[in-house]
Amino acid sequence: MARLVEKWLDNPVSRTILRFCTARDACGRRIELALRKYAGEDVSMCFRCSTAYRVTAGILNSILGKANLDKATIQPNLRDPMWRKGLASVLEGIAEYGISRPFTGFSPFLIVWNVTRACNLNCVHCYERARIRAPDELDTVGAKLAVRKLAAAGVAYIAFSGGEPFMRRDVFEIIEEVRRNEMVFSLATNGTLVTPEAAARLKELNCAFVQVSLDGATPQTHDSFRGAKSFERTVEGIRNLVAAGIQVGVAATATKHNLSEIPSIVDKAEELGAMVFMSYNFIPTGRGATMKEKDLNPKEREELLTWLAGQIGKRKISLLSTAPQYSRICAGVGQLSLTHFDTFGQDKEFAESARFLGEFVGGCGAGRLYAALEPNGDIEPCVFIPLVVGNILRDDFLEVWHNHPTFKKIRDRKNFKGYCGICEHRNICGGCRARAYAYFGDVTESDPGCILNQKA
């Protein structure tokens, strides 16, 4: 069915129709208005937007018919801003680029926003060199303006990071602006400042997810990463979030220093009530550039990712990784994977669709599905790739997204160097562009952490 939908949408006539339906005019974003109406909302429309709605409804009804579904099935999802904006970006992206493999959204689905460099810890591997607030950090007015510009571009999701987001006294004021502009948000924190009151406020604002860094199963290991005694306060922060009813993820950056403790960290995350464990790829950038010798070698990374994939279905917790090779490994051990962030138990009937979607979503999403924002509003392809491509307050965000040469390089996987350019798993993985840049100063180089590159 996925292939039939692809063939139906990815032809010149369909794309011309989609361009009309996804145009932006005085009414706003036509496709989002159409999706609101399709979801059952009372939406005021001009003649062109009404026409776009009728065409969009016909397209959706046809797709649903091919899948033996009906309108009522997806209406609840389309009432959710994240799903609605995400689908709008997909349809706009198809109109602009066709159904490419991997896919590039018309606007990024996700922005990871380092809202401050201020931090109460001093982590040895910090990509942001976080400690002291930058003098040009956006003030509250500037941060709110940035939120509105991202919303106007069609961004669905903002993930707040840092530094430590709770070091900003106005962080909840900025989050409120995100909610007013109908975007979903999550937050990454070291957990030490998450009081019961802060957790309750996040819940009140409908926080989608909070990720807390726990880099060791013991205070000694965790604190050696964090540059301060913080283990107990971090664990208490996790407990406060779980008690507030927020979905919590525990993240650990895997290095030689804590590799042997990863299974125990997963156990600890389960014990605390976390829903997700995320193994972060170590990127030698920021302060992390001084500890390259602690990076996992390709064999160690392969074994870790294989262990994680082998645990799927055996635990209550979801086991994920930011290493894009995880998609390949999940498939190799009998799991289906759409991305390195989403894994599924093996289902033969779902296999074809999962493979298609895996190639569509495409592993590393930097510069295709997400981008990063620095505390001063600078735009980067990824928080781990310190290449400034524009500024949210000074530049037209969508112009930068569509046309900056760095984004175009990252999207053109056929021109990647080394094995990443010819690998049979290129579309579902793509290699980590941040690691390529950190080691070689080139976003198109091979990922040195992949065992296939080592063999090649």
Side-chain angles (χ1 to χ4, degrees), residues 76-94:
N77 287 335
L78 292 180
R79 294 186 190 111
D80 183 324
M82 181 178 72
W83 288 101
R84 185 176 63 248
K85 287 174 180 286
L87 178 57
S89 183
V90 167
L91 293 173
E92 286 179 304
I94 293 171

Side-chain angles (χ1 to χ4, degrees), residues 129-191:
R129 299 184 188 275
R131 189 63 173 166
I132 300 172
R133 180 173 285 103
D136 59 350
E137 178 178 293
L138 296 181
D139 61 13
T140 307
V141 173
K144 287 183 175 181
L145 177 57
V147 169
R148 293 192 293 274
K149 291 191 73 169
L150 293 172
V155 172
Y157 195 129
I158 293 180
F160 290 101
S161 189
E164 172 51 54
F166 285 112
M167 292 292 283
R168 282 196 70 135
R169 293 182 179 179
D170 61 353
V171 67
F172 286 119
E173 196 173 343
I174 299 169
I175 290 170
E176 286 168 355
E177 188 70 17
V178 170
R179 300 300 294 150
R180 272 192 293 273
N181 283 272
E182 294 194 309
M183 288 184 286
V184 177
F185 81 97
S186 63
L187 189 140
T189 173
N190 60 43

